Amino acid sequence: RRVHGGQRKMLFHRISNSITRRTTSTRQFSQVLPAPKIPGVKYVIGVSSTKGGVGKSTTAVNLALSFRNLGLDVGILDADLYGPSIPRLLNLHETPEATEDNLLVPLENYGIKAMSMGFLIGPDEALAWRGPRIQKGLNQLFLEVKWGKLDVLVVDLPPGTGDIHISMIQRVPISGIVVVSTPQEVALNDTKRGILLFQQVKVPVSIFIFNHSKPFFFIFF
């Protein structure tokens, strides 16, 4: 069924209330939880940048389109809960449908399935979540979405090394990370911290992309 108007807020509040009820049992970030496999998804690739404004979201969409052009079934998850960019980049502005068992149905454009918090809140609304609520909200976007069968799920991570990154590392089996940066020293210093985080928790950093550089180049690890 399609969700319209006031039902969008109802769906958002259902997620929010569910998160609130379950946060009392949330473990500390330092405890590594067994990562549940996302039903139907073969590989999860995260796209990360510790510094904002370096073209990370655009890189994530281009990566998903490239996989699609190779004939793969591809989805993209916008994990930047506070500043979702995927709705604009994929020109998707509708509200997802909900199945009878309360799973969200991804929107689709250019042959790519997409899910974003930007589909569930208005363009002028701010998300005032933190800590355990962020963990639970991200968990629902991963596991309570009817992704179907996907060869690759590309995850557009927010800038930084905060709650969302740690929650994803703990709860989702990540096949590899693509790190995006620009050549400026400030951006590179922050990017090093992000790479160290992934190395500490033994998540493989597969590709390092220098964006906005002449010439453009990337490094395979």
Side-chain angles (χ1 to χ4, degrees), residues 8 23 41 65 77 80 90 98-99 104 111-112 114 127 147 156 165 188 190 194 216:
R8 175 190 294 213
T23 51
V41 177
L65 288 169
L77 173 63
D80 193 346
L90 286 181
T99 65
L104 295 174
I112 298 172
L127 189 68
W147 289 109
D156 180 22
H165 303 77
L188 289 174
D190 288 343
F216 169 86

Side-chain angles (χ1 to χ4, degrees), residues 47-174:
V47 180
S48 174
S49 69
T50 316
K51 177 67 72 177
V54 299
K56 169 187 56 64
S57 296
T58 303
T59 299
V61 170
N62 285 333
L63 184 63
L65 288 169
S66 298
F67 284 134
R68 181 58 184 164
N69 289 338
L70 291 174
L72 302 179
D73 293 320
V74 184
I76 188 166
L77 173 63
D78 191 350
D80 193 346
L81 304 185
Y82 298 120
S85 300
I86 297 304
R88 180 178 294 275
L89 291 173
L90 286 181
N91 194 28
L92 290 169
H93 306 288
E94 300 179 5
T95 303
E97 296 180 355
T99 65
E100 294 299 327
D101 50 353
N102 288 325
L103 295 178
L104 295 174
V105 179
L107 301 183
E108 186 170 343
N109 202 7
Y110 309 114
I112 298 172
K113 295 180 180 179
M115 181 51 62
S116 170
M117 186 59 71
F119 300 149
L120 302 176
I121 61 176
D124 299 323
E125 293 183 59
L127 189 68
W129 287 359
R130 62 180 183 178
R133 299 189 75 187
I134 287 294
Q135 292 186 71
K136 292 296 183 180
L138 185 63
N139 195 55
Q140 288 190 307
L141 288 182
F142 271 110
L143 301 176
E144 297 185 22
V145 172
K146 192 174 182 180
W147 289 109
K149 292 185 178 180
L150 295 179
D151 295 305
V152 181
L153 178 63
V154 177
V155 182
D156 180 22
L157 289 163
T161 54
D163 293 353
I164 293 176
H165 303 77
I166 298 170
S167 181
M168 175 179 165
I169 290 167
Q170 291 177 334
R171 297 178 180 274
V172 179
I174 305 171

